[in-house]
Amino acid sequence: MLLKLAWRNLWRQKRRTILTACALALALILSLVMRSTQEGSYANNIENSARFSTGLIQLQHSDFAETQSIDDLLPEDDAFIDIAKQISDVERALPRIESFSLAAAGEKSKGVMVLGVIPELEDDYSGIASKLVDGEFLTRDDKQVLIGQGLAEYFKLGVGDEVVLYGQGYRGQTAAGLYTIKGVLHFPISRLDNQLIYMPLSLAQTLFSTDKQVTSWVLHTRDLPHLEQTVNQLKQVYSERGEAAGFTGQVNVRDWKDLSPEMAQQIAMDKAGEYL
């Protein structure tokens, strides 16, 4: 009876009912479009940030996140990384060495972050060669380095000049070398532009005396919404098969939220405001 009365009441004023229904439908459509656009922008930002910096997932030594020490390494061999590649959602795997050194040229010195990569894999993943403003990009067997434009300006260096790197290598060994600058990169993030030095992975392993070891393996997945599931799979397989791969310690699997907490917090705050 109540439903019948309500239905009859709705159509007593047809114009009012139709206008109200259209207004509600329009508001719902606009809300859905706005949420879809927002979620799409989040995914795009996460992808771009991951490719340019941390990757969506990193495999690290269990102590590396806390110590950032060159002593806490993972193997750089097929037996180790093939465990990850067997997971269907893992699309790419890139080995890296990340460590800090003191750079010096002339009478100036500055703390820098040294990034050892396989150049062709890194460029295919992040398009780093497009950031070149002078010189040439690296090849796998180069004994030269790329330097951020801000850092080059600080030292007043250019292509063909030399920079000294000095720091601590694996197990307390001295990490020191003189390197020729092959190219200058410009990064939109000043923090990177002012302190980043790229070199081939093999050259970084020689500098830090790590042999065939790396500080991290950067992984990229095919499907961002399945990232959490992929992280859980990686944790499980490395827990079960890490020793068989020649690594007896625990592998720490970190996703982009753990690697870039500032970005994760910004997205969470933006979502909260949008829901409100």
Side-chain angles (χ1 to χ4, degrees):
M1 178 65 72
L2 291 176
L3 289 175
K4 186 181 292 187
L5 288 172
W7 181 256
R8 291 176 60 184
N9 188 54
L10 281 175
W11 296 108
R12 279 192 341 186
Q13 294 288 339
K14 292 182 180 180
R15 184 180 298 177
R16 179 190 63 187
T17 299
I18 292 172
L19 287 174
T20 303
C22 289
L24 290 172
L26 179 61
L28 179 60
I29 290 170
L30 290 176
S31 296
L32 291 175
V33 169
M34 184 176 293
R35 287 293 303 136
S36 299
T37 302
Q38 190 180 42
E39 289 297 332
S41 68
Y42 293 154
N44 189 53
N45 289 340
I46 292 167
E47 281 272 345
N48 290 338
S49 177
R51 288 180 180 277
F52 186 66
S53 181
T54 62
L56 289 177
I57 301 173
Q58 281 195 21
L59 305 179
Q60 298 177 350
H61 187 282
S62 56
D63 295 330
F64 185 77
E66 182 177 349
T67 65
Q68 296 292 303
S69 171
I70 196 67
D71 292 338
D72 298 322
L73 302 174
L74 296 178
E76 186 222 344
D77 57 38
D78 292 339
F80 177 83
I81 199 58
D82 280 348
I83 296 175
K85 289 181 177 179
Q86 289 173 10
I87 296 175
S88 59
D89 199 43
V90 173
E91 183 179 37
R92 296 172 183 266
L94 298 85
R96 286 181 182 172
I97 283 184
E98 296 181 35
S99 192
F100 293 93
S101 289
L102 183 68
E107 298 180 355
K108 291 185 176 181
S109 62
K110 186 176 185 179
V112 298
M113 183 169 71
V114 178
L115 191 59
V117 299
I118 297 178
E120 58 270 28
L121 294 182
E122 200 72 28
D123 182 42
D124 184 50
Y125 180 54
S126 63
I128 190 67
S130 65
K131 307 297 181 185
L132 268 176
V133 294
D134 193 15
E136 299 177 3
F137 194 62
L138 296 172
T139 63
R140 187 183 293 243
D141 298 324
D142 271 339
K143 305 301 180 185
Q144 300 164 297
V145 300
L146 302 178
I147 187 171
Q149 188 176 28
L151 190 60
E153 291 173 354
Y154 174 80
F155 285 125
K156 294 182 172 56
L157 298 176
V159 174
D161 293 331
E162 295 178 329
V163 60
V164 175
L165 296 178
Y166 184 85
Q168 180 174 312
Y170 187 61
R171 297 289 188 252
Q173 299 182 66
T174 299
L178 177 67
Y179 301 99
T180 302
I181 297 171
K182 187 176 184 180
V184 178
L185 301 164
H186 174 68
F187 299 98
I189 303 173
S190 60
R191 177 177 57 84
L192 298 178
D193 204 47
N194 294 331
Q195 69 169 151
L196 193 59
I197 291 180
Y198 272 88
M199 63 172 58
L201 181 64
S202 59
L203 190 62
Q205 289 171 330
T206 301
L207 171 63
F208 294 109
S209 304
T210 63
D211 198 18
K212 292 295 183 180
Q213 298 182 96
V214 294
T215 57
S216 62
W217 279 92
V218 174
L219 307 181
H220 198 82
T221 62
R222 291 184 172 86
D223 196 352
L224 185 59
H226 295 160
L227 184 66
E228 184 175 352
Q229 178 183 346
T230 304
V231 168
N232 291 333
Q233 286 180 296
L234 286 166
K235 289 179 179 179
Q236 181 178 354
V237 295
Y238 275 103
S239 176
E240 294 173 352
R241 297 159 59 186
E243 188 169 354
F247 181 70
T248 56
Q250 183 180 356
V251 177
N252 189 16
V253 183
R254 305 176 66 191
D255 65 8
W256 70 270
K257 294 179 182 178
D258 189 21
L259 295 163
S260 302
E262 300 87 357
M263 184 176 179
Q265 290 172 4
Q266 288 175 354
I267 290 176
M269 291 175 64
D270 195 49
K271 279 186 177 181
E274 182 63 25
Y275 286 136
L276 182 61

